[in-house]
Amino acid sequence: MNLLAIDFGGTRTRAAWFSDGVTLVQRDETLSQVDQPAQQVLDRLIEVARGVIPPGATVDAIGISAPGPLDAAQGVILQAKTLPDWYDVPLAQIISDAFGGVPVFVQNDANLAALAEYHLGAAQGADPTLYLTVSTGIGGGAVIGGALFTGCRGLAIEPGHMRFAMPDGRIRRLEELASGTGIGRLACEYLAASDMPSSLRDGDCVDGKAVGRAAQAGDALALDVVNAAARWFGLGLVNLIHLFNPQAIVLGGSVIQLGDLFLDPARRIIEQELLDPRFNSDDLIRVAQLGDSVCLYGAALYARGKLASAR
């Protein structure tokens, strides 16, 4: 079975050719440049996808990882914050037409990452498995009984949109508190509220990357910010653990690259706040293994499964 996998994101578009279902043969990527008209973005996507197909090869199916919310059954991007002005775009039909009517299967990127890490990465055989990507926002997916759990309308799961009540009465989403964007926002609040010395005061841009670099260099204020964000993230994980009782939670994304600076405070919150220690285990929290090819593997696995079930 020859599969073409496409990972279409707000920043980069990746494509890969898989033989025998999940053997990655060739891979390429380009900038998505989603600020351009949609047709130009789609033309670029099709071009990079065609470039990884070996000469004379036949495509059996195409799997696409795309940002949501989307209608996976119809292959339609409903809307996505990372794709300006993309509403109700029939992505599956467009790509199928471009490749001669080949079956195309579209799914949310974080869901496919969960599927890939379950079958090939850090969570092999762990059931249930949750996957969270922590970067600009916080996305996630769940594998239960070896299959993706996507809810009654295909919209599950969205862990970054768990709500928390702040001391001042405001309601904030988890990704506002613990994503890379949230870490940058929190740092700006800390800088405005105190005179604490920090290298962040000398920078032109206070974002998640800058805070992470400063924390790794030992900046006290940045360390406080990362610790606070990690504690919120830990509370989010506690909620998910109580809901799903997972065997593994796999974490990916740029914020997780902070390592124990971010993960240790989150683990401590988990230990403190779980209803029963049996919800926890030494290997419950795992770091993703498949890197920036994770959604390509997930798209290939998803297309293989959908094609097999259709036959």
Side-chain angles (χ1 to χ4, degrees), residues 85-109:
D85 301 322
W86 283 55
Y87 299 98
D88 299 327
V89 178
L91 183 62
Q93 188 62 57
I94 292 169
I95 300 305
S96 179
D97 290 345
F99 287 87
V102 170
V104 176
F105 305 100
V106 180
Q107 184 54 261
N108 176 272
D109 46 12

Side-chain angles (χ1 to χ4, degrees), residues 246-264:
Q247 186 176 352
I249 299 177
V250 181
L251 303 177
S254 58
V255 172
I256 303 305
Q257 293 175 13
L258 289 172
D260 289 342
L261 283 179
F262 188 78
L263 294 178
D264 279 351

Side-chain angles (χ1 to χ4, degrees), residues 271-308:
E271 292 172 0
Q272 293 167 14
E273 298 297 332
L274 282 178
L275 173 66
D276 188 294
R278 288 174 294 182
F279 278 98
N280 204 356
S281 65
D282 291 340
D283 63 347
L284 175 63
I285 305 300
R286 310 180 189 185
V287 176
Q289 293 181 350
L290 297 177
D292 60 10
S293 291
V294 64
C295 290
L296 291 171
Y297 279 105
L301 287 165
Y302 185 71
R304 183 181 68 170
K306 295 296 265 187
L307 189 63

Side-chain angles (χ1 to χ4, degrees), residues 183-184 187 200 205-216 221-223 225-226 258:
I183 288 172
L200 294 171
C205 178
V206 179
D207 57 12
K209 289 183 180 179
V211 177
R213 287 193 299 266
Q216 289 171 325
L221 185 141
L223 285 168
V225 170
V226 170
L258 289 172

Side-chain angles (χ1 to χ4, degrees), residues 143-154:
V143 177
I144 302 175
L148 277 177
F149 172 76
T150 57
C152 70
R153 294 185 175 87

Side-chain angles (χ1 to χ4, degrees), residues 3-7 18 21-22 24 62-65 105-120 148 290 293-306:
L3 300 171
L4 177 61
I6 299 169
D7 176 15
F18 288 84
V22 291
L24 198 159
I62 300 173
I64 302 179
S65 163
F105 305 100
V106 180
Q107 184 54 261
N108 176 272
D109 46 12
N111 286 343
L112 294 182
L115 195 66
E117 290 289 344
Y118 171 77
H119 284 286
L120 303 170
L148 277 177
L290 297 177
S293 291
V294 64
C295 290
L296 291 171
Y297 279 105
L301 287 165
Y302 185 71
R304 183 181 68 170
K306 295 296 265 187

